[in-house]
Amino acid sequence: MPLKSATTLAARLINRLPQSSQAALFMVIACAVFAAMSGLIRHISANVPPLEIVFFRNLFGLLALAPWFLRNGMAGLKTTRLGLYGLRALVGMVSMALWFTAVTIVPLAEATALSFTAPLFGTVLAVLLLGEVVRVRRWSATLAGFAGAMIILRPTVETIEPGTIMVLISAATMATAGIFVKKLMATDTPAQSVAWMGIMMVPMSLVPALFVWQWPSLQSLLWLGLLGGVATIGHLAI
């Protein structure tokens, strides 16, 4: 079956699902993609500084949207919400820089487990910023998730490592960025959101990258290109 036909068939099957099931499916895809992305970051960081990886992830992620730009042109970027996009990019930049750095110093399994605190922050923020109604079942799941995070940390406060704190702050800012995306989706498309994120975050992430800059090898560039493409798929799914 040709790729285009297979894609069309998959889209039709997904569209037949209830919206809640569609959302769950895309979130599972995003989680799988981001798990692969974390492994790539860990691998690339052996030769490229984390802040530089952030820059190339955004650069190659933006280039991965070239087909969308060719099809829609600059008209596809038309929006009245540049301020919110800028705020989303800034928060996303903080989250990305902390996560990419943390992945290089915290065991990957622990970092990934702690990153799943993002939905806990997201639940609270959805109530405060979006006015969503969260019932007992979701609050129970949130509290259970928080208890799980505490088990992972095994803390007394004195033993919490800087990398662990980075992961938690990254999860909180990731959840905040997700709230902004939710607001943006009321008027704009997912591709628009990801495109504007790349446009704003490429120059934004270049500044800190220059302070640690090392020219990557051709092999590292190939890995960075893969990282950018994979990350774009994940954000489109989100």
Side-chain angles (χ1 to χ4, degrees):
M1 181 184 294
L3 179 59
K4 185 175 181 180
S5 299
T7 303
T8 302
L9 177 60
R12 286 176 179 170
L13 291 173
I14 291 171
N15 286 332
R16 290 177 183 174
L17 296 172
Q19 282 194 334
S20 58
S21 298
Q22 291 182 41
L25 175 61
F26 282 119
M27 189 58 76
V28 169
I29 292 171
C31 288
V33 168
F34 287 139
M37 182 176 150
S38 298
L40 284 171
I41 295 167
R42 189 64 173 254
H43 175 71
I44 298 167
S45 66
N47 300 300
V48 182
L51 292 179
E52 190 175 339
I53 296 175
V54 172
F55 165 70
F56 279 108
R57 172 260 173 271
N58 288 309
L59 176 63
F60 285 118
L62 184 60
L63 292 176
L65 286 173
W68 182 83
F69 281 107
L70 290 173
R71 185 172 65 251
N72 296 281
M74 298 305 293
L77 292 172
K78 187 177 180 180
T79 183
T80 59
R81 313 190 77 180
L82 283 179
L84 189 55
Y85 275 119
L87 191 57
R88 184 257 178 275
L90 180 61
V91 172
M93 173 65 195
V94 172
S95 179
M96 203 177 291
L98 289 171
W99 174 251
F100 282 39
T101 303
V103 164
T104 66
I105 58 179
V106 175
L108 191 55
E110 182 177 332
T112 302
L114 287 172
S115 73
F116 291 139
T117 57
L120 312 183
F121 294 113
T123 299
V124 175
L125 290 171
V127 173
L128 296 176
L129 300 180
L130 298 178
E132 290 189 1
V133 177
V134 178
R135 304 192 187 282
V136 173
R137 186 169 59 181
R138 282 181 63 189
W139 279 122
S140 299
T142 299
L143 291 173
F146 179 76
M150 292 301 98
I151 291 170
I152 294 167
L153 287 173
R154 305 178 299 278
T156 59
V157 173
E158 296 82 6
T159 64
I160 298 179
E161 300 293 333
T164 301
I165 296 172
M166 288 182 190
V167 173
L168 292 174
I169 297 175
S170 174
T173 49
M174 185 189 307
T176 305
I179 296 296
F180 293 149
V181 170
K182 180 77 171 177
K183 285 180 170 291
L184 288 166
M185 290 304 94
T187 56
D188 295 356
T189 66
Q192 246 181 313
S193 172
V194 176
W196 273 114
M197 183 182 77
I199 290 169
M200 291 183 171
M201 289 181 70
V202 167
M204 199 180 289
S205 57
L206 176 60
V207 176
L210 290 175
F211 288 94
V212 294
W213 190 268
Q214 299 175 18
W215 284 105
S217 65
L218 177 59
Q219 184 180 40
S220 292
L221 280 173
L222 292 173
W223 283 114
L224 288 163
L226 178 61
L227 175 65
V230 164
T232 297
I233 293 171
H235 279 285
L236 286 171
I238 288 285

